[in-house]
Amino acid sequence: MAEAFKFELVSPERLLVSEEVESVVIPGAEGEMTVMALHAPVMTTIKPGVVTVKTVGGKEERYVVFGGFADIVPSGCTLLAESAVAVGDIDRADLARRIQEAKEDAADAKDDQARSKAEQFLSQLTTLEGAILPA
Protein backbone atom coordinates (compact mmCIF):
# COMPACT_ATOMS: atom_id res chain seq x y z
CA MET A 1 0.00 0.00 0.00
CA ALA A 2 1.32 3.45 -0.91
CA GLU A 3 2.05 5.97 1.81
CA ALA A 4 -0.70 8.56 2.34
CA PHE A 5 -0.31 12.32 2.20
CA LYS A 6 -2.55 15.36 2.73
CA PHE A 7 -4.34 16.65 -0.40
CA GLU A 8 -6.54 19.72 -0.62
CA LEU A 9 -8.51 20.91 -3.64
CA VAL A 10 -9.75 24.45 -3.15
CA SER A 11 -11.81 26.69 -5.42
CA PRO A 12 -12.93 30.26 -4.68
CA GLU A 13 -16.39 28.89 -3.88
CA ARG A 14 -15.44 26.08 -1.48
CA LEU A 15 -13.08 23.40 -0.24
CA LEU A 16 -13.81 20.31 -2.36
CA VAL A 17 -11.30 17.86 -0.87
CA SER A 18 -9.24 17.83 2.31
CA GLU A 19 -8.10 14.33 3.16
CA GLU A 20 -5.29 11.80 3.26
CA VAL A 21 -4.86 10.21 -0.19
CA GLU A 22 -2.52 7.74 -1.93
CA SER A 23 -2.06 9.66 -5.19
CA VAL A 24 -3.35 12.56 -7.26
CA VAL A 25 -3.07 13.01 -11.04
CA ILE A 26 -2.94 16.72 -11.91
CA PRO A 27 -3.32 18.33 -15.38
CA GLY A 28 -0.19 20.47 -15.15
CA ALA A 29 0.57 23.09 -17.78
CA GLU A 30 3.56 21.01 -18.93
CA GLY A 31 1.59 17.74 -18.91
CA GLU A 32 -0.13 15.41 -16.49
CA MET A 33 1.75 14.58 -13.33
CA THR A 34 1.14 12.05 -10.58
CA VAL A 35 1.76 13.24 -7.04
CA MET A 36 2.51 10.76 -4.27
CA ALA A 37 3.82 11.02 -0.71
CA LEU A 38 7.35 12.41 -0.40
CA HIS A 39 7.17 14.09 -3.83
CA ALA A 40 9.89 16.65 -4.50
CA PRO A 41 8.76 20.25 -3.91
CA VAL A 42 7.17 21.72 -7.05
CA MET A 43 4.85 24.59 -7.87
CA THR A 44 3.08 24.33 -11.22
CA THR A 45 0.25 25.97 -13.09
CA ILE A 46 -2.82 23.89 -13.91
CA LYS A 47 -4.60 23.79 -17.26
CA PRO A 48 -8.29 22.92 -17.66
CA GLY A 49 -8.62 19.19 -17.13
CA VAL A 50 -9.51 16.37 -14.79
CA VAL A 51 -7.89 15.78 -11.40
CA THR A 52 -8.01 12.12 -10.36
CA VAL A 53 -7.71 11.42 -6.64
CA LYS A 54 -7.01 7.91 -5.31
CA THR A 55 -8.15 7.75 -1.71
CA VAL A 56 -6.53 5.67 1.03
CA GLY A 57 -9.44 3.23 0.65
CA GLY A 58 -8.60 2.71 -3.03
CA LYS A 59 -11.58 4.66 -4.37
CA GLU A 60 -11.03 7.05 -7.31
CA GLU A 61 -12.67 10.47 -7.36
CA ARG A 62 -12.53 12.82 -10.36
CA TYR A 63 -12.86 16.61 -10.42
CA VAL A 64 -12.91 19.06 -13.31
CA VAL A 65 -10.66 22.09 -12.84
CA PHE A 66 -10.50 25.22 -14.97
CA GLY A 67 -6.96 26.43 -14.35
CA GLY A 68 -5.10 27.41 -11.20
CA PHE A 69 -1.90 26.18 -9.60
CA ALA A 70 -0.62 23.36 -7.41
CA ASP A 71 1.82 23.62 -4.53
CA ILE A 72 3.47 20.24 -3.93
CA VAL A 73 5.70 19.45 -0.93
CA PRO A 74 6.87 16.08 0.43
CA SER A 75 4.09 16.03 3.05
CA GLY A 76 1.20 17.12 0.83
CA CYS A 77 -0.31 18.89 -2.14
CA THR A 78 -2.63 21.88 -2.32
CA LEU A 79 -4.37 22.60 -5.62
CA LEU A 80 -5.88 26.09 -5.84
CA ALA A 81 -8.28 26.00 -8.78
CA GLU A 82 -9.82 28.98 -10.55
CA SER A 83 -12.98 26.85 -10.65
CA ALA A 84 -13.58 23.20 -9.76
CA VAL A 85 -16.45 20.71 -9.61
CA ALA A 86 -16.84 16.95 -9.21
CA VAL A 87 -17.11 15.25 -12.62
CA GLY A 88 -20.54 13.89 -11.68
CA ASP A 89 -21.76 17.42 -10.99
CA ILE A 90 -20.46 19.04 -14.19
CA ASP A 91 -22.87 21.53 -15.70
CA ARG A 92 -23.01 20.92 -19.46
CA ALA A 93 -24.44 24.39 -20.08
CA ASP A 94 -21.59 26.02 -18.14
CA LEU A 95 -18.99 24.08 -20.12
CA ALA A 96 -20.72 24.99 -23.41
CA ARG A 97 -20.76 28.65 -22.32
CA ARG A 98 -17.02 28.57 -21.52
CA ILE A 99 -16.28 27.03 -24.93
CA GLN A 100 -18.39 29.66 -26.71
CA GLU A 101 -16.62 32.46 -24.81
CA ALA A 102 -13.24 30.98 -25.76
CA LYS A 103 -14.30 30.87 -29.43
CA GLU A 104 -15.32 34.53 -29.23
CA ASP A 105 -12.05 35.46 -27.52
CA ALA A 106 -10.09 33.75 -30.31
CA ALA A 107 -12.14 35.51 -33.00
CA ASP A 108 -11.82 38.91 -31.29
CA ALA A 109 -8.08 38.66 -30.50
CA LYS A 110 -6.18 41.87 -31.24
CA ASP A 111 -2.86 40.22 -32.13
CA ASP A 112 -1.31 36.83 -32.91
CA GLN A 113 -0.14 36.26 -29.34
CA ALA A 114 -3.61 36.85 -27.87
CA ARG A 115 -5.20 34.69 -30.60
CA SER A 116 -2.74 31.86 -29.95
CA LYS A 117 -3.43 31.96 -26.21
CA ALA A 118 -7.22 31.98 -26.77
CA GLU A 119 -6.99 29.10 -29.27
CA GLN A 120 -4.89 27.07 -26.83
CA PHE A 121 -7.47 27.60 -24.07
CA LEU A 122 -10.28 26.64 -26.49
CA SER A 123 -8.40 23.47 -27.41
CA GLN A 124 -7.99 22.56 -23.74
CA LEU A 125 -11.71 23.09 -23.10
CA THR A 126 -12.83 21.00 -26.07
CA THR A 127 -10.43 18.21 -25.07
CA LEU A 128 -11.85 18.37 -21.55
CA GLU A 129 -15.39 18.23 -22.92
CA GLY A 130 -14.56 15.10 -24.91
CA ALA A 131 -12.94 13.45 -21.88
CA ILE A 132 -15.81 13.92 -19.44
CA LEU A 133 -19.02 14.06 -21.45
CA PRO A 134 -20.34 11.06 -23.37
CA ALA A 135 -20.83 11.58 -27.11
Side-chain angles (χ1 to χ4, degrees), residues 31-125:
E32 280 193 351
M33 61 187 299
T34 301
V35 179
M36 299 181 79
L38 307 177
H39 195 287
V42 175
M43 185 169 278
T44 185
T45 55
I46 302 300
K47 66 181 182 180
V50 177
V51 173
T52 304
V53 179
K54 185 174 181 184
T55 67
V56 172
K59 182 179 164 192
E60 278 196 4
E61 300 170 355
R62 294 173 11 122
Y63 300 88
V64 175
V65 294
F66 293 98
F69 70 93
D71 183 22
I72 303 163
V73 295
S75 61
C77 173
T78 300
L79 196 156
L80 301 172
E82 291 174 14
S83 178
V85 64
V87 167
D89 297 336
I90 192 70
D91 181 344
R92 291 174 186 260
D94 178 58
L95 185 55
R97 179 189 55 79
R98 289 175 189 260
I99 290 172
Q100 184 58 39
E101 288 175 359
K103 287 178 182 176
E104 292 169 5
D105 289 346
D108 298 341
K110 303 283 189 233
D111 57 41
D112 289 341
Q113 183 178 0
R115 185 174 301 102
S116 177
K117 185 175 180 180
E119 288 173 349
Q120 181 181 17
F121 186 63
L122 175 60
S123 174
Q124 292 168 348
L125 287 176

